[in-house]
């Protein structure tokens, strides 16, 4: 009806175990004469104040070192941002200079589909002798006349001059680019060297600050460890002196058995004052042990008699079972013999009946005339 085998809650069990451990620790602290202090422990309070001050000083030194590292990292980040902005500005300036020098309108080599004056230049008045709209009847040119010679010469000169100027400009631009690249490489190397020097300086300052903070922390830890060891040694010495005094002034070292008797419960003893049992108590215990040994021996003999009785009963039952098995085997053999004789008699009767049928009843064999008459009568 009710489930009594439910497993307890692990959290509740852990909480109960923690409370039990705290109570045991509190009792051991209260009942321990070495560490028990009546009133306020001024030395312990002073040691706690010193530990708190030492911990605060250590935290302040760690925070100062962290602030120094943060300032150095911020400075490095600002330098990197400035360098990236300067690199972007130089790249944009180079792109603009390339557009102004290499991508001018007069140097284009492709047809402009969006030229607003292209309609005025599609059909000029007269292009030359080979102009299809102007034939011989237009009187625009005559046989043997070269109207475009001066223009062609001028165009060739202009083209030659333009190509020469362009080559000179390209050579000058190549030289300027090489000089600019060399100057940029020198500036880049100088900037990289300056940055490496700054980073090395920052790294050295960070390392010095870190070593200083680590040395301060190690010194604080060493001082804290030394102070804790000194307090432990002092506490141990005080405890030893108190224990010696308690041993000298108390009844612990006396042989009086009344010291171990509990004043509240006379049937109990004080464990920390008990010196052992009295001769009467030891004699009573030995007497009780002898009575228990005799009872155990009598019980052992009764168990042996019962085991012997059970073994005899088991052997009798085993013999009866063997006799029953023997009778069962004899009955089975008798049944198998009767069944074999019955089967032989039945086989003889079947053989005689088959011989009678074959020798007397089934002697006449039907002929073809019999089958013909049988078919005619059936029709």
């Amino acid at each position: 009806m009710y489930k009594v085998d439910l497993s307890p809650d692990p959290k509740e069990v852990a909480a109960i175990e923690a409370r039990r451990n705290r109570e045991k620790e509190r009792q051991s602290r209260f009942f321990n004469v070495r560490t028990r202090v009546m009133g306020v422990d001024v030395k312990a309070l002073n040691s706690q104040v010193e530990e708190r001050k030492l911990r605060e000083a250590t935290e302040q030194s760690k925070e100062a070192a962290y602030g120094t590292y943060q300032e150095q990292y911020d400075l490095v980040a600002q330098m990197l941002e400035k360098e990236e902005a300067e690199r972007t500005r130089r790249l944009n300036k180079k792109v603009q200079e390339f557009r102004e020098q290499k991508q001018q309108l007069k140097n284009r080599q492709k047809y402009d589909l969006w030229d607003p004056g292209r309609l005025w230049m599609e059909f000029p008045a007269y292009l030359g002798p080979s102009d299809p709209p102007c034939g011989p009847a237009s009187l625009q040119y005559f046989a043997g006349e070269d109207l475009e010679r001066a223009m062609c010469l001028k165009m060739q000169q202009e083209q030659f001059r333009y190509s020469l100027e362009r080559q000179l400009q390209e050579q000058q631009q190549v030289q300027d680019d090489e000089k600019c690249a060399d100057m940029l490489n020198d500036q880049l190397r100088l900037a990289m060297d300056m940055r490496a020097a700054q980073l090395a300086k920052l790294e050295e300052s960070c390392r010095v600050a870190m070593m200083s903070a680590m040395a301060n922390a190690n010194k604080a830890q060493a001082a804290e460890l030394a102070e804790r060891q000194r307090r432990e040694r002092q506490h141990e010495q005080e405890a030893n002196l108190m224990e010696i005094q308690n041993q000298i002034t108390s009844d612990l070292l006396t042989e009086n058995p009344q010291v171990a008797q509990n004043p509240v419960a006379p049937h109990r003893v004080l464990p920390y004052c008990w010196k052992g049992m009295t001769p009467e108590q030891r004699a009573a215990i030995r007497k009780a042990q002898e009575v228990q040994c005799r009872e155990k021996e009598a019980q052992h003999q009764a168990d042996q008699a019962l085991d012997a009785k059970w073994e005899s009963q088991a052997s009798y039952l085993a013999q009866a079972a063997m006799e029953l098995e023997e009778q069962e085997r004899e009955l089975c053999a008798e049944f198998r013999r009767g069944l074999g004789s019955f089967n032989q008699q039945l086989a003889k009767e079947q053989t005689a009946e088959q011989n009678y049928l074959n020798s007397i009843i089934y002697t006449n064999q039907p002929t073809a005339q019999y089958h013909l008459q049988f078919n005619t009568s059936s029709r």
Side-chain angles (χ1 to χ4, degrees), residues 84-97:
E84 185 67 23
E86 183 66 22
R87 190 184 297 108
T88 305
R89 188 186 64 79
R90 290 199 301 268
L91 181 61
N92 294 334
K93 184 177 180 181
K94 288 183 180 180
V95 171
Q96 186 64 27
E97 290 178 356

Side-chain angles (χ1 to χ4, degrees), residues 148-162:
E148 299 178 353
R149 178 175 178 77
M151 186 179 297
C152 290
L153 292 175
K154 186 177 180 180
M155 289 177 64
Q156 290 178 0
Q157 292 176 0
E158 289 289 335
Q159 186 176 6
F160 178 73
R161 184 177 59 81
Y162 175 73

Side-chain angles (χ1 to χ4, degrees), residues 120-135 138 140-141 145-149 151-152 155:
W120 293 95
M121 295 185 296
E122 282 185 354
F123 299 101
Y126 176 67
L127 298 178
S130 61
D131 189 7
C134 300
S138 64
Q140 295 292 327
Y141 70 94
E145 185 179 8
D146 189 5
L147 300 177
E148 299 178 353
R149 178 175 178 77
M151 186 179 297
C152 290
M155 289 177 64

Side-chain angles (χ1 to χ4, degrees), residues 290-301 303:
E290 290 176 358
V291 171
Q292 291 177 358
C293 288
R294 288 195 294 271
E295 291 178 355
K296 188 174 181 181
E297 184 67 24
Q299 183 67 27
H300 182 65
Q301 292 178 0
D303 292 340

